[in-house]
Protein backbone atom coordinates (compact mmCIF):
# COMPACT_ATOMS: atom_id res chain seq x y z
CA UNK A 1 0.00 0.00 0.00
CA UNK A 2 1.39 3.41 -0.96
CA UNK A 3 1.11 6.55 1.12
CA UNK A 4 -1.75 8.95 0.61
CA UNK A 5 -0.88 11.47 -2.10
CA UNK A 6 -2.38 14.53 -3.74
CA UNK A 7 -4.26 14.20 -7.02
CA UNK A 8 -2.66 15.66 -10.14
CA UNK A 9 -3.71 19.25 -10.82
CA UNK A 10 -5.70 19.27 -14.06
CA UNK A 11 -4.83 22.96 -14.60
CA UNK A 12 -1.08 22.41 -14.39
CA UNK A 13 1.12 23.22 -17.38
CA UNK A 14 2.37 19.77 -18.53
CA UNK A 15 6.01 20.78 -19.06
CA UNK A 16 6.10 22.31 -15.58
CA UNK A 17 4.57 19.16 -14.13
CA UNK A 18 7.06 17.02 -16.05
CA UNK A 19 9.90 19.07 -14.58
CA UNK A 20 8.62 18.56 -11.01
CA UNK A 21 8.30 14.81 -11.47
CA UNK A 22 11.62 14.51 -13.31
CA UNK A 23 13.48 16.30 -10.51
CA UNK A 24 11.93 13.89 -8.01
CA UNK A 25 13.03 10.98 -10.19
CA UNK A 26 16.59 12.33 -10.32
CA UNK A 27 16.60 12.34 -6.51
CA UNK A 28 15.04 8.90 -6.05
CA UNK A 29 15.78 6.60 -9.00
CA UNK A 30 18.87 4.42 -8.50
CA UNK A 31 19.77 4.23 -12.20
CA UNK A 32 19.06 6.41 -15.23
CA UNK A 33 16.05 8.55 -14.26
CA UNK A 34 16.31 9.89 -17.82
CA UNK A 35 15.65 6.44 -19.37
CA UNK A 36 12.57 6.41 -21.58
CA UNK A 37 10.88 3.85 -23.75
CA UNK A 38 10.72 5.05 -27.36
CA UNK A 39 8.07 3.46 -29.59
CA UNK A 40 8.15 3.86 -33.37
CA UNK A 41 6.19 2.46 -36.30
CA UNK A 42 7.92 1.63 -39.59
CA UNK A 43 6.59 1.95 -43.13
CA UNK A 44 5.01 -1.52 -42.93
CA UNK A 45 3.11 -0.35 -39.82
CA UNK A 46 5.05 -2.66 -37.50
CA UNK A 47 5.73 -1.23 -34.04
CA UNK A 48 9.08 -1.38 -32.27
CA UNK A 49 10.28 -0.05 -28.94
CA UNK A 50 13.53 0.36 -27.06
CA UNK A 51 14.99 2.29 -24.13
CA UNK A 52 16.88 5.48 -24.97
CA UNK A 53 18.21 8.27 -22.76
CA UNK A 54 16.71 11.74 -22.61
CA UNK A 55 19.56 14.23 -22.88
CA UNK A 56 17.70 17.54 -22.65
CA UNK A 57 14.23 19.03 -22.82
CA UNK A 58 12.36 22.32 -22.81
CA UNK A 59 8.96 23.60 -23.89
CA UNK A 60 9.91 22.79 -27.52
CA UNK A 61 10.39 19.10 -26.89
CA UNK A 62 12.47 16.15 -25.66
CA UNK A 63 15.88 15.39 -27.18
CA UNK A 64 17.80 12.13 -27.54
CA UNK A 65 20.78 11.21 -29.75
CA UNK A 66 21.41 8.21 -31.98
CA UNK A 67 22.69 6.83 -35.27
CA UNK A 68 20.33 8.08 -37.97
CA UNK A 69 20.75 4.84 -39.93
CA UNK A 70 19.67 2.66 -36.99
CA UNK A 71 16.38 0.78 -36.89
CA UNK A 72 14.75 3.61 -34.95
CA UNK A 73 16.24 6.16 -37.33
CA UNK A 74 14.82 4.39 -40.37
CA UNK A 75 11.40 4.08 -38.71
CA UNK A 76 11.38 7.77 -37.84
CA UNK A 77 12.34 8.64 -41.40
CA UNK A 78 9.29 6.67 -42.61
CA UNK A 79 6.94 7.83 -39.85
CA UNK A 80 7.90 10.83 -37.68
CA UNK A 81 5.17 10.21 -35.09
CA UNK A 82 6.41 8.46 -31.95
CA UNK A 83 5.54 7.80 -28.32
CA UNK A 84 7.81 7.87 -25.28
CA UNK A 85 7.19 6.62 -21.77
CA UNK A 86 8.98 7.36 -18.51
CA UNK A 87 8.36 4.92 -15.67
CA UNK A 88 9.81 5.60 -12.23
CA UNK A 89 9.18 2.65 -9.97
CA UNK A 90 10.51 4.45 -6.90
CA UNK A 91 7.86 7.15 -7.37
CA UNK A 92 5.10 4.82 -8.60
CA UNK A 93 4.61 7.27 -11.45
CA UNK A 94 4.83 7.31 -15.22
CA UNK A 95 4.50 9.88 -17.98
CA UNK A 96 3.42 8.99 -21.49
CA UNK A 97 4.10 11.47 -24.31
CA UNK A 98 3.12 11.41 -27.98
CA UNK A 99 4.49 13.73 -30.61
CA UNK A 100 6.26 14.38 -33.89
CA UNK A 101 10.02 14.08 -34.36
CA UNK A 102 12.43 16.40 -36.14
CA UNK A 103 16.24 16.25 -36.36
CA UNK A 104 17.90 18.82 -34.12
CA UNK A 105 20.06 21.62 -35.48
CA UNK A 106 23.51 20.32 -36.46
CA UNK A 107 25.30 22.78 -34.17
CA UNK A 108 23.33 21.42 -31.21
CA UNK A 109 24.26 17.84 -32.09
CA UNK A 110 27.92 18.81 -32.48
CA UNK A 111 27.93 20.60 -29.12
CA UNK A 112 26.50 17.54 -27.40
CA UNK A 113 28.87 15.16 -29.23
CA UNK A 114 31.79 17.17 -27.84
CA UNK A 115 30.66 16.38 -24.28
CA UNK A 116 30.79 12.59 -24.82
CA UNK A 117 33.74 10.53 -23.53
CA UNK A 118 36.38 9.62 -26.11
CA UNK A 119 35.29 5.98 -26.04
CA UNK A 120 31.70 6.94 -26.84
CA UNK A 121 32.84 9.16 -29.69
CA UNK A 122 34.88 6.32 -31.17
CA UNK A 123 31.92 3.99 -30.63
CA UNK A 124 29.67 6.27 -32.66
CA UNK A 125 32.04 5.80 -35.60
CA UNK A 126 32.67 2.09 -35.05
CA UNK A 127 29.09 0.89 -34.62
CA UNK A 128 26.92 0.24 -37.65
CA UNK A 129 23.96 0.41 -35.31
CA UNK A 130 21.25 -2.24 -35.86
CA UNK A 131 23.18 -3.89 -38.71
CA UNK A 132 24.19 -7.57 -38.50
CA UNK A 133 27.42 -8.17 -36.54
CA UNK A 134 29.26 -11.43 -37.32
CA UNK A 135 31.07 -11.51 -33.97
CA UNK A 136 32.55 -9.23 -31.31
CA UNK A 137 35.98 -9.41 -32.93
CA UNK A 138 34.59 -7.57 -35.94
CA UNK A 139 33.40 -4.76 -33.66
CA UNK A 140 36.74 -4.66 -31.80
CA UNK A 141 38.58 -4.31 -35.12
CA UNK A 142 36.41 -1.38 -36.09
CA UNK A 143 36.97 0.25 -32.69
CA UNK A 144 40.75 -0.22 -33.04
CA UNK A 145 40.65 1.21 -36.58
CA UNK A 146 38.93 4.42 -35.49
CA UNK A 147 41.04 4.74 -32.34
CA UNK A 148 44.11 4.79 -34.57
CA UNK A 149 42.45 7.07 -37.13
CA UNK A 150 41.68 9.71 -34.51
CA UNK A 151 44.80 9.26 -32.39
CA UNK A 152 45.86 12.72 -31.16
CA UNK A 153 43.16 14.28 -33.34
CA UNK A 154 39.78 15.84 -32.68
CA UNK A 155 37.03 13.25 -33.12
CA UNK A 156 34.40 14.82 -35.35
CA UNK A 157 30.73 13.91 -35.25
CA UNK A 158 29.75 11.29 -37.86
CA UNK A 159 27.38 12.63 -40.50
CA UNK A 160 24.87 9.88 -39.73
CA UNK A 161 24.79 10.65 -35.99
CA UNK A 162 22.57 13.35 -34.58
CA UNK A 163 19.74 14.16 -32.22
CA UNK A 164 15.98 14.01 -32.46
CA UNK A 165 13.56 16.41 -30.83
CA UNK A 166 10.12 15.05 -29.99
CA UNK A 167 7.61 17.89 -30.11
CA UNK A 168 4.71 16.74 -27.89
CA UNK A 169 1.03 17.01 -28.74
CA UNK A 170 -0.14 14.79 -25.87
CA UNK A 171 0.96 14.10 -22.30
CA UNK A 172 -0.50 11.57 -19.91
CA UNK A 173 0.52 11.65 -16.25
CA UNK A 174 -0.16 8.54 -14.18
CA UNK A 175 0.40 7.92 -10.50
CA UNK A 176 -0.38 4.80 -8.52
CA UNK A 177 -3.27 4.95 -6.08
CA UNK A 178 -4.69 2.35 -3.66
CA UNK A 179 -6.76 -0.55 -5.01
CA UNK A 180 -5.66 0.19 -8.62
CA UNK A 181 -7.82 3.32 -8.70
CA UNK A 182 -4.93 5.19 -10.24
CA UNK A 183 -4.81 8.93 -10.93
CA UNK A 184 -4.56 9.77 -14.65
CA UNK A 185 -4.54 13.17 -16.36
CA UNK A 186 -4.28 13.68 -20.12
CA UNK A 187 -3.17 16.99 -21.62
CA UNK A 188 -3.78 17.72 -25.30
CA UNK A 189 -2.60 20.70 -27.32
CA UNK A 190 -5.41 23.12 -28.15
CA UNK A 191 -3.86 25.81 -30.33
CA UNK A 192 -1.00 27.14 -28.21
CA UNK A 193 -2.58 26.06 -24.94
CA UNK A 194 -2.85 22.72 -23.17
CA UNK A 195 -6.20 21.36 -22.07
CA UNK A 196 -6.30 18.74 -19.31
CA UNK A 197 -8.88 16.09 -18.57
CA UNK A 198 -9.07 13.34 -16.01
CA UNK A 199 -9.24 9.70 -17.20
CA UNK A 200 -10.66 6.59 -15.60
CA UNK A 201 -7.86 4.37 -14.20
Amino acid sequence: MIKKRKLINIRENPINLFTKWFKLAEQNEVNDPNAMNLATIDKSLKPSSRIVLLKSYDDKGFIFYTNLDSKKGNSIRDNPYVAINFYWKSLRRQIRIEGKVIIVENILAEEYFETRPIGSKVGAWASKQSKILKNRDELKKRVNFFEKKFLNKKISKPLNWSGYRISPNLYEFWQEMPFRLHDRIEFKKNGKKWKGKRLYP
Side-chain angles (χ1 to χ4, degrees):
M1 184 71 67
I2 62 174
K3 295 180 180 180
K4 186 176 181 180
R5 64 202 319 178
K6 292 182 179 179
L7 294 176
I8 303 167
N9 183 355
I10 199 169
R11 294 181 179 82
E12 183 87 70
N13 180 292
I15 190 63
N16 293 342
L17 184 55
F18 177 91
T19 298
K20 291 176 185 177
W21 285 23
F22 188 67
K23 286 181 178 179
L24 281 174
E26 288 180 312
Q27 296 166 11
N28 291 278
E29 282 297 313
V30 176
N31 294 307
D32 300 324
N34 60 329
M36 60 185 188
N37 181 280
L38 168 70
T40 58
I41 298 177
D42 65 18
K43 61 183 177 182
S44 62
L45 302 182
K46 292 181 179 178
S48 183
S49 70
R50 75 289 288 162
I51 300 298
V52 298
L53 297 178
L54 174 71
K55 290 302 179 181
S56 63
Y57 72 93
D58 54 25
D59 56 358
K60 294 180 181 178
F62 299 80
I63 294 176
F64 68 96
Y65 293 88
T66 191
N67 185 313
L68 302 182
D69 295 326
S70 63
K71 183 174 182 177
K72 68 178 99 51
N74 288 328
S75 291
I76 289 170
R77 194 154 39 242
D78 293 329
N79 184 345
Y81 294 94
V82 304
I84 54 176
N85 189 302
F86 296 86
Y87 175 61
W88 300 301
K89 188 172 183 178
S90 61
L91 302 180
R92 309 288 181 89
R93 285 174 169 170
Q94 66 176 314
I95 302 174
R96 190 172 66 83
I97 299 169
E98 296 177 4
K100 186 176 182 180
V101 176
I102 60 170
I103 296 178
V104 301
E105 301 83 354
N106 192 56
I107 188 170
L108 188 63
E110 288 183 343
E111 287 175 356
Y112 172 71
F113 190 79
E114 278 299 302
T115 69
R116 288 164 64 93
I118 291 176
S120 295
K121 291 178 181 178
V122 170
W125 280 93
S127 176
K128 300 178 182 180
Q129 196 174 111
S130 301
K131 303 297 186 293
I132 294 175
L133 176 65
K134 293 178 182 178
N135 51 54
R136 292 291 292 186
D137 286 338
E138 181 183 337
L139 178 59
K140 289 178 182 178
K141 287 178 182 178
R142 287 185 59 81
V143 170
N144 291 336
F145 172 83
F146 285 106
E147 283 178 338
K148 292 177 181 178
K149 179 178 179 177
F150 290 111
L151 185 64
N152 299 321
K153 297 178 183 178
K154 179 181 177 181
I155 305 177
S156 58
K157 181 185 76 63
L159 292 176
N160 66 342
W161 189 98
S162 190
Y164 289 112
R165 178 185 287 110
I166 303 167
S167 178
N169 53 45
L170 180 147
Y171 289 84
E172 184 189 319
F173 292 81
W174 176 100
Q175 63 179 356
E176 185 175 332
M177 301 292 277
F179 309 114
R180 299 187 178 274
L181 299 176
H182 309 309
D183 186 23
R184 293 174 64 191
I185 297 290
E186 181 184 88
F187 294 93
K188 281 188 176 180
K189 203 76 174 283
N190 185 8
K192 293 185 178 180
K193 295 183 179 180
W194 291 95
K195 185 177 178 67
K197 59 184 177 183
R198 199 170 297 278
L199 304 177
Y200 272 93

